[in-house]
Amino acid sequence: MMTFRNLSEEDITLDLATKGKHSALSRIAVKLARKTGLDDRAVLRGIWRRERLGSTAIGRGIAVPHALLRSISSPVASFTRLAPPIDFNSPDSDPVDLVFTLLWPRSEARTFLPALSRLFRMVRAPLIREGLRLAQSPEEVMAILMSEARQVNGIPWRTNATHSVALR
């Protein structure tokens, strides 16, 4: 998936324990700031600016906090699985445990909505969500996210007895 083209295992955090939404977003912002060389307060400000417009939780335990920033030249993404899930003011009232955070160059704003739409289509698949929730390592998360094109082309996911995710 294009949105995750630059994602690496270092951009994946599994089972992050936080005290709530602000704590989660703060910790994610710090990690993204380190990757981009930006000030973590600037990253968090951008994410909160969007969050104040309305929750970025989309339902089914998923949130997609994001910011359009002038100070970056290419998209930056991270994936965080929270444990336990937290209240994110989701439209379905489900607590959030899967957080996809996107920082997007303001100069590339025209490409943002199509990328966001692809992400939403991907996480709509119950087996993708299940795989992300059961993944035991960043490598497994990467396999799920990078194989999204195969999923779209009709090759189903399956899980084995140890809950790792594999393609047929």
Side-chain angles (χ1 to χ4, degrees):
M1 167 173 228
M2 192 277 302
T3 305
F4 298 106
R5 179 177 58 221
N6 298 328
L7 192 73
S8 70
E9 292 172 15
E10 293 80 38
D11 303 319
I12 297 169
T13 304
L14 299 179
D15 303 326
L16 178 67
T18 67
K19 295 178 181 178
K21 185 176 183 177
H22 191 273
S23 172
L25 293 177
S26 293
R27 292 180 67 186
I28 291 167
V30 166
K31 193 168 185 178
L32 286 169
R34 283 187 195 131
K35 178 176 182 161
T36 60
L38 298 173
D39 178 69
D40 57 298
R41 292 170 299 196
V43 172
L44 185 59
R45 248 190 328 273
I47 291 170
W48 271 112
R49 188 176 306 121
R50 168 55 190 87
E51 202 66 36
R52 280 193 299 273
L53 298 175
S55 176
T56 55
I58 61 172
R60 298 182 175 145
I62 300 163
V64 187
H66 54 275
L68 295 174
L69 302 175
R70 296 184 198 289
S71 51
I72 60 173
S73 58
S74 61
V76 179
S78 74
F79 171 76
T80 307
R81 185 174 67 203
L82 303 172
I86 61 171
D87 178 32
F88 224 89
N89 198 23
S90 182
D92 62 4
S93 299
D94 285 351
V96 164
D97 64 339
L98 303 177
V99 181
F100 296 89
T101 308
L102 303 174
L103 303 181
W104 211 264
R106 186 166 292 285
S107 63
E108 296 293 324
R110 65 178 166 42
T111 64
F112 178 66
L113 287 179
L116 198 59
S117 177
R118 283 190 300 276
L119 173 61
F120 288 178
R121 278 194 309 272
M122 178 186 72
V123 298
R124 206 174 331 160
L127 292 174
I128 297 286
R129 292 191 311 271
E130 175 188 352
L132 293 172
R133 288 185 171 115
L134 295 174
Q136 297 294 309
S137 68
E139 297 85 16
E140 287 185 23
V141 170
M142 290 288 292
I144 293 165
L145 296 176
M146 295 306 167
S147 297
E148 179 269 341
R150 290 184 178 173
Q151 175 68 19
V152 168
N153 290 325
I155 300 171
W157 291 98
R158 63 184 168 86
T159 57
N160 67 21
T162 63
H163 296 146
S164 64
V165 177
L167 288 173
R168 279 191 200 174

